[in-house]
Amino acid sequence: MLTLTHTVGGAECRIHIPESRHDLYGFEEFLAQGDKVLGFDTETTGLDVFTRGFQLRLAQFGNDREAWVLRSDLFGDAIARALQQPRMFVMHNAAYDLLVVDRHLGVTVEELGPHVFDTRILSHLLDPRAESEGGIGHSLKPLSAVYVDPEAPDTQGGLTAVFRSLGLTKATGWAGIDITNETYLRYAGLDTILVSRLFHEIGPLVRDVGLDHLSKFEHHLQLLLAIMQRRGMLLDVPYVETLRESLRVEAEQYRKAAARYGVENVNSTGQVAEALLAMGEELDERTPSGAAKVDKAVLLPLADLDLQWERLDVRAPNPLAEAVVRAKRAEKWATAYADAFLELADDAGRLHPFIGGLQARTARMSISRPPLQQLPSSDWVIRRAFVADPGHTIVAADFQAVEMRVLAALSGDETMKAAITDGLDLHSFTAERVFGPDFTKQHRKIAKAVGFGKVYGGGATTIARQTGADIEAVRRAITAYDDTFPGIKKYSRRLINRAEYGRKEVVTPSGRHLPLDRDRLYAATNYVVQSTARDLLAQAIVDAHDAGLGDGLLLPVHDELIAQAPADSAEEYVRELGRVMGSVFHGVQIASDPEVYGPSWGHGYGAA
DNA sequence: GTGTTAAGCGCC
DNA sequence: AAACGGCGCTTAACAC
């Protein structure tokens, strides 16, 4: 047996690496020592748990000063047995390891999940900010440096350096590094010692600030999300292959068109701007760095493709602008969606996107690899790629205007609450109050934008630019809006005042503390509203499981749940799902809209 | 090669 | 007085 030593937090720690079954006696003794919680971690060949070629390589257990690093190929049974003991484990980003162990050792998420603490969840509850947002972030290294030992090793970064010295890269290293490499084994073991120590440091902090209940909820939610990820979604592979080809043909056609105007690379904003200027177009808008802006909002009017606004000039539609927009769109759809889908699908044609249950600083969930929360919704062709399992139908239920309802509920504004109770269209109601009974569609659009401005903290300038409306008209609308819904302005003011004179944070009804940036206190309203809407969706996922609807859930998308159900009972299923999503929140009805889509996700967006 | 920033675009 | 919130991902351009 190989035993390494390493100093962590001033204490000498031992890392044991058994080489024969005989060495496992020591492991059994270690397990019998009576630690209430053991650190656990895995080392694998990559991130794609569900795709061919993925392997579990190491599984590590550790307490505050001793770690055991077990090779999966030699000791898979011992690892599984250890995980099946009636005790708690602590992992960092447990969703990943839970799925690895489920898929490759047969210890299921259902079995192990309830016995898991996740230091990433605890970290997010203590401070949800990423490193880039001024927080500690949620990686093991910075967390260890702050809470365990400033000198704690950078195991990930350290290994990357080892990869390089061996002629491997970040992409190839995890699979390619020799399984007996000492640094690899050392760092693998250290991670469990760090996670154990981190847990012993921040676990009590979470309890002290009264977040135990929320912590429990998030751990439970994460388990349900891991099950969702394991289930995945079925991809219509032949459809995606055909789609990819046609998107590439389209992209090529418009690239050629752009080339005729001197733009060799449609993705080069510099080239596009230069060519447009040479054609006599005026580019007034600037990017933050001062370059001419040539995004879609600029190009579409030039191409006369914007149906929203009337053209103010008499210039002919610009064919280059159109070619650039269309080429970029087709290429993006082909690459970011079609290619990614095929790349990430497992052998059975299923996709298992990462579901980050507690991702944004508002706790919003995120979905990546691939980004299924961001598929085009104006066109059904991309969503059509996802189909129900045989005999099933895709359904969905979404919250109706949930952020406005949450804002009404939290602010207690009586006028808005009454409008919601009366089942009125909020934006039309607002438009009528602001512009009078003869309000137009444009008025409703401004009213809607002002409402979003309240939620997002946006000002008159932004709303004017977004709606194309006159800035003075927008200013008047905002004033009228504030007069109509005085409670909302008061509520926002209150949140900002508190942050100005007290802690720079908002606290949501669920007890989540959301730090504010000192120069962006106006974001307070958005944070608490967005976060609360997220908590309502999270609760709906838990409730759906409790109601026996969990087996059908496929994806959360901010304010909706995508699901599938046996074709002959899809209607009942989604009606039940919609019922479960409904609630009364601070006296305001949170309603949902259940809908049967059909054989594919795209059928909810016009596919036939 | 790897990493970073800027610009852009998809969603809620 | 004004202030657009939250993500994931791609390409270009550049630094090391």
Side-chain angles (χ1 to χ4, degrees):
Chain A
M1 179 157 75
L2 176 66
T3 295
L4 309 170
T5 61
H6 203 102
T7 304
V8 179
E12 180 164 298
C13 299
R14 302 174 82 77
I15 300 155
H16 304 288
I17 301 109
E19 290 162 320
S20 70
R21 299 206 74 85
H22 179 77
D23 295 338
L24 291 181
Y25 286 115
F27 179 57
E28 300 296 336
E29 280 173 26
F30 165 75
L31 292 178
Q33 277 177 59
D35 290 290
K36 285 212 170 61
V37 180
L38 279 187
F40 178 75
D41 190 23
T42 62
E43 301 302 333
T44 65
T45 50
L47 290 174
D48 300 304
V49 183
F50 296 90
T51 49
R52 201 199 324 256
F54 177 94
Q55 277 186 308
L56 170 61
R57 305 188 80 200
L58 302 174
Q60 311 96 262
F61 296 83
N63 60 23
D64 284 358
R65 49 197 314 162
E66 182 180 357
W68 285 77
V69 179
L70 274 64
R71 281 176 57 166
S72 161
D73 57 345
L74 302 179
F75 308 120
D77 55 332
I79 299 165
R81 266 203 315 281
L83 288 172
Q84 283 161 331
Q85 304 167 96
R87 78 189 315 158
M88 296 299 290
F89 296 91
V90 57
M91 315 179 189
H92 192 72
N93 199 10
Y96 177 76
D97 298 289
L98 280 173
L99 288 168
V100 169
V101 160
D102 181 296
R103 183 89 166 188
H104 298 276
L105 287 178
V107 182
T108 63
V109 174
E110 287 86 343
E111 211 178 334
L112 183 54
H115 299 118
V116 165
F117 292 116
D118 186 344
T119 43
R120 195 189 176 285
I121 289 177
L122 303 183
S123 164
H124 198 282
L125 293 177
L126 290 175
D127 183 343
R129 292 173 300 178
E131 233 168 338
S132 59
E133 293 164 335
I136 301 169
H138 307 297
S139 297
L140 190 53
K141 171 182 143 57
L143 288 169
S144 301
V146 169
Y147 292 111
V148 177
D149 176 2
E151 305 298 316
D154 177 3
T155 55
Q156 302 270 313
L159 270 182
T160 309
V162 173
F163 294 164
R164 293 195 58 159
S165 74
L166 295 171
L168 299 165
T169 67
K170 237 176 152 175
T172 59
W174 296 103
I177 192 164
D178 193 296
I179 201 164
T180 62
N181 179 291
E182 197 176 298
T183 311
Y184 179 57
L185 295 166
R186 175 186 298 272
Y187 286 172
L190 277 172
D191 274 346
T192 64
I193 292 174
L194 289 175
V195 81
S196 170
R197 286 177 173 248
L198 180 60
F199 176 69
H200 287 133
E201 293 298 326
I202 67 177
L205 291 184
V206 168
R207 183 176 287 266
D208 290 348
V209 290
L211 292 172
D212 245 21
H213 181 75
L214 195 51
S215 171
K216 215 172 202 160
F217 177 84
E218 294 299 338
H219 279 85
H220 180 54
L221 174 70
Q222 182 173 69
L223 184 159
L224 302 183
L225 293 175
I227 292 170
M228 231 188 272
Q229 182 177 345
R230 183 184 62 191
R231 180 176 307 125
M233 282 183 93
L234 184 59
L235 196 65
D236 184 341
V237 173
Y239 171 82
V240 180
E241 284 169 343
T242 307
L243 172 68
R244 167 159 75 166
E245 291 318 306
S246 66
L247 286 170
R248 287 259 143 75
V249 168
E250 186 184 339
E252 185 53 30
Q253 177 192 333
Y254 285 110
R255 260 200 301 272
K256 277 183 183 152
R260 286 198 286 275
Y261 298 93
V263 173
E264 288 304 320
N265 182 350
V266 292
N267 285 317
S268 168
T269 49
Q271 276 184 38
V272 172
E274 195 185 339
L276 287 171
L277 289 170
M279 293 170 86
E281 298 289 0
E282 284 175 19
L283 300 174
D284 300 328
E285 290 197 69
R286 291 283 172 266
T287 67
S289 70
K293 199 165 191 180
V294 283
D295 63 7
K296 223 169 58 169
V298 170
L299 296 181
L300 286 183
L302 292 181
D304 213 2
L305 291 171
D306 56 328
L307 302 172
Q308 300 176 43
W309 298 300
E310 284 176 38
R311 284 176 69 80
L312 298 173
D313 56 80
V314 290
R315 191 185 291 280
N318 187 305
L320 172 59
E322 175 173 3
V324 168
V325 168
R326 292 194 187 276
K328 281 173 78 171
R329 193 181 88 142
E331 188 56 37
K332 161 140 190 175
W333 287 16
T335 306
Y337 304 128
D339 285 349
F341 294 171
L342 295 171
E343 172 86 12
L344 294 166
D346 69 13
D347 286 347
R350 298 190 83 82
L351 247 78
H352 305 268
F354 282 4
I355 306 176
L358 203 48
Q359 188 64 32
R361 67 188 290 177
T362 56
R364 256 197 180 186
M365 300 173 219
S366 79
I367 296 184
S368 60
R369 305 172 64 93
L372 296 192
Q373 286 180 326
Q374 289 123 270
L375 305 187
S377 58
S378 58
D379 191 324
W380 53 263
V381 293
I382 301 294
R383 292 181 195 239
R384 165 66 183 78
F386 295 93
V387 292
D389 283 312
H392 287 61
T393 296
I394 301 285
V395 300
D398 69 313
F399 286 135
Q400 296 171 9
V402 66
E403 293 192 331
M404 291 310 292
R405 285 172 192 248
V406 166
L407 182 57
L410 295 181
S411 69
D413 184 276
E414 292 302 336
T415 312
M416 188 171 280
K417 282 170 72 173
I420 291 168
T421 302
D422 296 344
L424 303 178
D425 175 292
L426 259 187
H427 304 312
S428 297
F429 174 78
T430 309
E432 187 179 346
R433 294 293 293 257
V434 171
F435 299 104
D438 297 326
F439 71 90
T440 63
K441 269 181 93 173
Q442 174 70 7
H443 285 141
R444 184 182 181 279
K445 191 175 165 186
I446 293 172
K448 184 176 177 179
V450 173
F452 274 109
K454 292 292 162 200
V455 173
Y456 292 156
T461 322
T462 315
I463 296 169
R465 189 158 40 78
Q466 217 175 46
T467 56
D470 175 69
I471 185 138
E472 272 312 315
V474 172
R475 287 214 178 96
R476 281 195 300 277
I478 290 175
T479 306
Y481 194 97
D482 289 340
D483 291 342
T484 306
F485 307 116
I488 289 174
K489 192 183 167 75
K490 250 165 84 183
Y491 176 67
S492 294
R493 202 55 252 174
R494 195 163 79 230
L495 291 181
I496 294 169
N497 279 342
R498 272 189 206 169
E500 257 168 14
Y501 300 109
R503 296 177 66 95
K504 299 275 174 289
E505 66 174 22
V506 283
V507 183
T508 69
S510 65
R512 209 182 291 285
H513 291 245
L514 305 177
L516 299 167
D517 301 335
R518 57 181 62 255
D519 54 340
R520 290 169 62 247
L521 295 184
Y522 62 84
T525 312
N526 174 256
Y527 283 9
V528 70
V529 168
Q530 185 180 112
S531 192
T532 300
R534 175 275 183 196
D535 288 336
L536 288 170
L537 189 72
Q539 187 64 55
I541 292 171
V542 170
D543 292 344
H545 271 270
D546 292 346
L549 303 172
D551 289 349
L553 295 183
L554 297 174
L555 279 183
V557 188
H558 301 312
D559 66 351
E560 65 178 333
L561 292 174
I562 313 297
Q564 65 174 2
D568 56 9
S569 59
E571 189 79 47
E572 295 98 285
Y573 177 92
V574 77
R575 203 183 316 124
E576 265 305 287
L577 184 60
R579 196 187 58 73
V580 161
M581 287 173 74
S583 64
V584 176
F585 179 71
H586 291 235
V588 173
Q589 183 71 41
I590 303 296
S592 76
D593 200 0
E595 210 179 329
V596 174
Y597 280 1
S600 89
W601 195 0
H603 283 71
Y605 293 79

